Amino acid sequence: LSFVRSSELRYATWDEVDFEAREWRIPAGRMKMAKGSNQSHVVPLSPHAVAILRELYKLTGIKGGYLFPGLRGANTVISENTIGNVLKKMDYKGRQTLHGFRASARSILAERGWSEVALERQLDHAETRQTVASYARSQHMDERRKLMADWGACVAAMENDRPLPRRVA
């Protein structure tokens, strides 16, 4: 539902989640493209994601603690292999990875007409063209909020074996 990188998910803490704003703010230092940036990466949360996080909060929601604590205690996080192992147990071995969910989300949302610039910003991909990177600082938050709500609706439909809903702009 968020299509973030594995380490961003594994090290997520409850103080990064703002239920009222429906946002997850990942500190710049934990982002792959941080490289001197002091700007956090804002992940808009769909209503579907917020509902799941509220349920997860009942299980692991010690303020400031990890969303996904490890078995060795609240101050540890799940292993880098945990998500892959869960996918294997769900019979997705060789067919899907966490990173594959990022690619799937990017592809499906592009086919649904969302702009490349908003999708790339949502994925926190760095602009490779130096001149463009120097000037392109927009976060495209309005469109990203809508595309993440659309993605949440798509995931809900797929979970329930229904056709994808029409895109709402």
Side-chain angles (χ1 to χ4, degrees), residues 14 17-23 45 49-50 53-54 57:
W14 284 109
V17 177
D18 184 336
F19 285 108
E20 297 306 312
R22 292 185 16 208
E23 292 178 348
L45 299 170
V50 169
L53 286 172
R54 287 191 188 281
Y57 188 83

Side-chain angles (χ1 to χ4, degrees), residues 87-104:
L87 288 171
K88 286 177 192 172
K89 287 180 183 177
M90 295 173 67
D91 202 29
Y92 282 100
K93 183 178 181 177
R95 296 187 301 142
Q96 185 61 285
T97 63
L98 180 61
H99 195 77
F101 285 119
R102 286 171 58 84
S104 296

Side-chain angles (χ1 to χ4, degrees), residues 34-46:
K35 296 184 181 137
S37 172
N38 61 359
Q39 188 171 17
S40 61
H41 178 59
V42 179
V43 178
L45 299 170
S46 68

